[in-house]
Amino acid sequence: MAAAALAASGWRRLRLQLLQLQLRVAPLVARALLSAGPQWRTRQPIPQPFSTAADQATFDTISRFKERPWEYLESEEYIERYGSQPVWADYRRNHKGAIPPQKTRKTCIRGDKISGNPCPICRDPKIEVDHRNVKLLEQFICSHTGIPYHPTRTGVCMKQFKKLTTAIQDAKDNGLLRFAVPRVEVRLEDYCGSHAAVGKTPPPARVGDEPWYSWYQWQQPPEKEIARIRQMYKPFLKETPTAAAAPSETAGLPK
Amino acid sequence: MAALRTTRRVVQRARLAAFVERLCARDVCSRSPGEPEVKAAGISKPQFMDKEVQNILGRITGLNLEKVFKPMKQQLKPPQYKLLTDEQLDGARHEAMEVAKERLRMPPVLDEREAICDVLAEDKILAGLETAKYVFTDITYDMPHRERFIVVREPNGVLRKATWDERDRMIQVYFPRDGRRIIPPPIFQDENLLVVFAQERFEDILDLCLVQFEPNSADYIRVHHQTYEYIDKHNKYDLLRSTRHFGGLVWYLSNRMRIDGLLIDMIQRDLMDDAVSVVQLYHMLHPECQSANETNVQQAKGIELIKVFSHTDSKKGSYLELALQVYQEAISSSADQDAQRKEQN
């Protein structure tokens, strides 16, 4: 009996909720149906002043922070929004179940579209991941171990995480970020420079303008060789061997 | 490879011709390298690796266990607890001292290595065939790196030995060492070094230098000298005390006769024995200076030594005397206080 009564009350509540929903939705639907025509005719023009101080201020700050992103972390706007906590402190990912997927989304911004619930870096366009703003990078590194936090902890998208890792490495390379230097044992090697591989090797003795290899220059072949070849090609030689011996030889052979 | 064969032939020819020269060179290298200036009288200048010098520098460096075993940022492990008796605790402390002494072993101080610029062959027949240089490296495993042949064939046909930079890069490619990068990171450039010095990370940058460069390379010597200059200019000697780089700093300053700042710093920290040792080292390195002669004449010891130095060779003599005065007043006042307390008791 009680269960039936409960079930009945449950159904009544549902019906009441549905009615309320219909009441709320009806005018919206009516408006949509009325304004089914071209949107630009029915829409009222929004009165906008030509230029206010607020517009100028926002334009100045965005372009200023593009070149010097570390200044934003000192500004009042930043302190008001984040206080002394890191930028990822109040961010919560939306996912099914208790255990989050071990990879965050690939990127929050694709072209002009921004996804719902963007990551802590993408949701604030003034925050720029650069190897020079060390204060921001330090927020993403554990202060006890010196290891960068995993993206599942901070909530940043994979594209920003890659930018962060490269920026952290660049900052360490340029000496802006402190890190623990690994200890290397001192090797007591023989640093002598007397071996031929690293010492002086005098070039081989050459006389003046001599070429490096003897065959770079024309060399007179030995007479035996000339005689042998003449013997071989005797039937094809045009001039008589006795009359024009010297000139014909020098003319025929290459210079 | 034909290039390596050519190299070997040229080198063998040179070896036969220069046999005696190599013997002489080997004699020079059997002495410990450092600053081998042989004086006319025949007494050689003390080297960095001499026992006496190492003793003095070791004593000056000190052994602050808290600093040597400073906690490093790394992956955390759960802490371990041990229950020890008094004797075991003493033994553990003794072992810690041994490990600390090993950690404070000083890296060698060497002269800059001579540049390699030897041409082995000029094959003009190969000129213009290639657009890039070819580097041939001998990757025999069981061979010390200083005997490894590394040659470069330029596009104009010249076969030459690789420069030291090229050698280091190639050896790192084929025989990588932990922590060393193939191309040195930009932290060693002058503008970034200034940033590091402003953060007072002298030990870090010198350790990075040890990881990346060879002790006789130009970059290693340049970075070390710049660090020592900055420390001397801003009187930050204490940051390197109890590290393995302090000996190198004292050696550098003593050789260039600029130990005033260091002495003042030591006297202000009540390290009178260290100050005396530094002056003794200075006299060992420059036995012909005025201060050394005066000391020999007067047979001065202890604080007298420093007073003689401040009168003669010191560049900041007035500051040094002032510091000595303050120190002596402090000692006398504490002695008076002790005497008063004893009378009361």
Side-chain angles (χ1 to χ4, degrees):
Chain A
M1 269 301 288
L6 268 172
S9 67
W11 275 116
R12 224 176 286 144
R13 214 180 296 140
L14 257 175
R15 248 189 277 157
L16 270 169
Q17 279 174 0
L18 270 168
L19 268 170
Q20 280 171 2
L21 200 67
Q22 277 171 9
L23 281 168
R24 256 184 244 146
V25 166
L28 285 169
V29 171
R31 211 183 295 160
L33 287 168
L34 275 172
S35 61
Q39 295 278 320
W40 54 270
R41 263 193 218 149
T42 47
R43 206 183 274 166
Q44 298 287 327
I46 307 160
Q48 251 179 356
F50 183 62
S51 152
T52 49
D55 290 324
Q56 275 184 340
T58 46
F59 179 75
D60 279 328
T61 46
I62 288 172
S63 67
R64 186 157 70 102
F65 295 140
K66 260 202 177 25
E67 279 152 36
R68 287 183 293 273
W70 52 91
E71 284 181 10
Y72 176 57
L73 271 83
E74 316 282 340
S75 67
E76 284 175 5
E77 206 186 324
Y78 175 90
I79 295 166
E80 207 187 304
R81 186 164 172 180
Y82 300 106
S84 58
Q85 285 191 311
V87 296
W88 53 269
D90 64 343
Y91 178 75
R92 193 174 165 162
R93 278 172 80 191
N94 294 330
H95 57 84
K96 285 190 216 169
I99 303 157
Q102 289 306 294
K103 264 190 173 178
T104 49
R105 66 162 72 94
K106 194 165 173 181
T107 171
C108 302
I109 306 174
R110 289 173 194 269
D112 285 333
K113 283 188 268 183
I114 305 182
S115 64
N117 197 27
C119 70
I121 300 178
C122 296
R123 69 183 172 183
D124 192 344
K126 298 199 193 93
I127 291 181
E128 179 92 21
V129 171
D130 194 86
H131 69 93
R132 292 168 296 174
N133 61 347
V134 180
K135 270 188 146 182
L136 178 71
L137 297 178
E138 276 173 355
Q139 290 177 3
F140 291 89
I141 301 174
C142 178
S143 52
H144 307 289
T145 59
I147 300 169
Y149 289 124
H150 198 264
T152 40
R153 176 143 180 200
T154 54
V156 296
C157 57
M158 296 316 290
K159 183 172 166 186
Q160 292 296 343
F161 178 65
K162 277 186 202 154
K163 277 177 87 173
L164 262 175
T165 17
T166 46
I168 287 170
Q169 191 54 44
D170 283 339
K172 286 181 183 170
D173 284 344
N174 286 325
L176 299 161
L177 193 61
R178 286 174 190 257
F179 61 101
V181 179
R183 218 205 122 71
V184 159
E185 281 308 315
V186 174
R187 273 201 210 171
L188 288 170
E189 281 172 14
D190 188 15
Y191 291 101
C192 211
S194 66
H195 193 265
V198 297
K200 298 276 181 206
T201 316
R206 266 164 61 198
V207 180
D209 271 337
E210 257 182 39
W212 190 265
Y213 296 115
S214 57
W215 42 266
Y216 272 163
Q217 267 182 358
W218 159 247
Q219 289 166 322
Q220 179 67 25
E223 294 217 3
K224 250 188 173 174
E225 199 58 36
I226 297 171
R228 187 176 71 86
I229 290 170
R230 282 186 73 79
Q231 187 64 39
M232 218 190 304
Y233 292 102
K234 206 167 180 181
F236 305 100
L237 280 174
K238 285 185 182 158
E239 64 289 312
T240 52
T242 47
S248 69
E249 279 176 44
T250 45
L253 295 165
K255 295 214 165 66
Chain B
M1 304 228 88
L4 286 171
R5 209 186 312 141
T6 322
T7 319
R8 253 179 262 129
R9 280 198 205 128
V10 170
V11 163
Q12 272 164 11
R13 258 183 263 146
R15 250 188 227 163
L16 285 167
F19 185 59
V20 175
E21 280 178 72
R22 272 206 312 133
L23 270 178
C24 295
R26 220 183 283 149
D27 282 336
V28 166
C29 285
S30 62
R31 261 187 268 141
S32 54
E35 283 129 44
E37 292 166 22
V38 180
K39 303 236 167 122
I43 312 161
S44 65
K45 199 172 169 179
Q47 305 295 322
F48 184 74
M49 283 295 169
D50 286 349
K51 265 196 173 171
E52 289 171 26
V53 175
Q54 286 288 304
N55 279 339
I56 293 177
L57 293 174
R59 252 185 295 133
I60 295 174
T61 309
L63 194 69
N64 183 6
L65 288 175
E66 303 280 314
K67 192 167 174 188
V68 174
F69 296 116
K70 196 170 53 172
M72 196 175 83
K73 272 192 190 171
Q74 58 188 343
Q75 186 65 43
L76 296 174
K77 287 180 289 192
Q80 277 187 335
Y81 300 100
K82 287 186 186 174
L83 293 173
L84 302 174
T85 60
D86 277 340
E87 289 150 5
Q88 283 172 335
L89 184 63
D90 285 335
R93 211 173 273 138
H94 189 69
E95 269 178 42
M97 300 269 282
E98 296 294 314
V99 172
K101 273 185 200 143
E102 185 57 35
R103 278 206 185 177
L104 292 180
R105 200 150 52 106
M106 290 173 232
V109 173
L110 304 167
D111 281 336
E112 195 177 322
R113 51 196 181 188
E114 282 178 28
I116 307 174
C117 46
D118 277 342
V119 167
L120 299 165
E122 285 175 24
D123 296 307
K124 294 214 172 52
I125 200 166
L126 298 172
L129 287 178
E130 302 287 340
T131 50
K133 294 187 234 180
Y134 280 78
V135 181
F136 298 97
T137 318
D138 188 359
I139 52 169
T140 322
Y141 189 72
D142 248 351
M143 191 194 260
H145 291 316
R146 71 180 181 286
E147 292 178 19
R148 208 173 279 285
F149 276 102
I150 301 179
V151 295
V152 175
R153 174 76 77 182
E154 305 254 354
N156 62 359
V158 161
L159 182 71
R160 61 169 174 86
K161 285 188 194 164
T163 57
W164 281 112
D165 278 335
E166 288 163 354
R167 279 189 71 89
D168 286 338
R169 267 188 287 132
M170 285 298 120
I171 288 168
Q172 180 57 19
V173 166
Y174 294 111
F175 304 96
R177 262 177 72 164
D178 219 10
R180 194 177 276 203
R181 309 265 281 268
I182 295 176
I183 296 171
I187 200 173
F188 297 113
Q189 288 163 12
D190 295 327
E191 52 277 359
N192 292 326
L193 272 181
L194 288 173
V195 171
V196 174
F197 293 155
Q199 294 174 356
E200 296 192 353
R201 289 164 57 195
F202 303 112
E203 203 189 330
D204 283 348
I205 188 78
L206 292 177
D207 281 337
L208 277 169
C209 202
L210 252 176
V211 168
Q212 181 62 38
F213 301 119
E214 295 289 314
N216 55 0
S217 73
D219 283 317
Y220 178 97
I221 289 169
R222 172 185 62 89
V223 172
H224 272 70
H225 286 190
Q226 279 182 347
T227 315
Y228 296 149
E229 292 287 334
Y230 188 93
I231 290 174
D232 189 38
K233 198 168 146 191
H234 295 83
N235 292 341
K236 307 258 186 202
Y237 308 99
D238 200 47
L239 289 164
L240 279 194
R241 200 167 267 132
S242 237
T243 62
R244 54 187 172 165
H245 306 289
F246 195 72
L249 170 69
V250 174
W251 180 255
Y252 175 84
L253 293 173
S254 306
N255 268 311
R256 279 146 188 85
M257 299 160 83
R258 282 154 50 181
I259 54 173
D260 306 291
L262 182 63
L263 285 174
I264 293 168
D265 181 74
M266 280 174 168
I267 293 167
Q268 281 170 353
R269 288 177 204 275
D270 289 339
L271 300 164
M272 197 44 77
D273 300 327
D274 290 355
V276 169
S277 308
V278 170
V279 180
Q280 281 171 351
L281 178 70
Y282 179 83
H283 289 160
M284 271 168 67
L285 282 169
H286 307 281
E288 288 162 4
C289 70
Q290 214 182 349
S291 165
N293 292 333
E294 285 282 325
T295 316
N296 285 335
V297 162
Q298 293 177 16
Q299 291 293 312
K301 289 213 169 102
I303 298 185
E304 301 293 320
L305 206 63
I306 305 177
K307 283 190 183 155
V308 165
F309 175 78
S310 66
H311 290 313
T312 53
D313 263 349
S314 167
K315 274 137 197 147
K316 294 185 198 166
S318 43
Y319 291 106
L320 198 54
E321 281 170 21
L322 189 67
L324 276 171
Q325 224 179 8
V326 168
Y327 174 77
Q328 278 176 326
E329 274 170 20
I331 284 183
S332 57
S333 66
S334 66
D336 287 337
Q337 276 178 7
D338 285 338
Q340 277 177 8
R341 250 180 254 146
K342 274 186 194 159
E343 279 176 23
Q344 280 171 6
N345 293 347

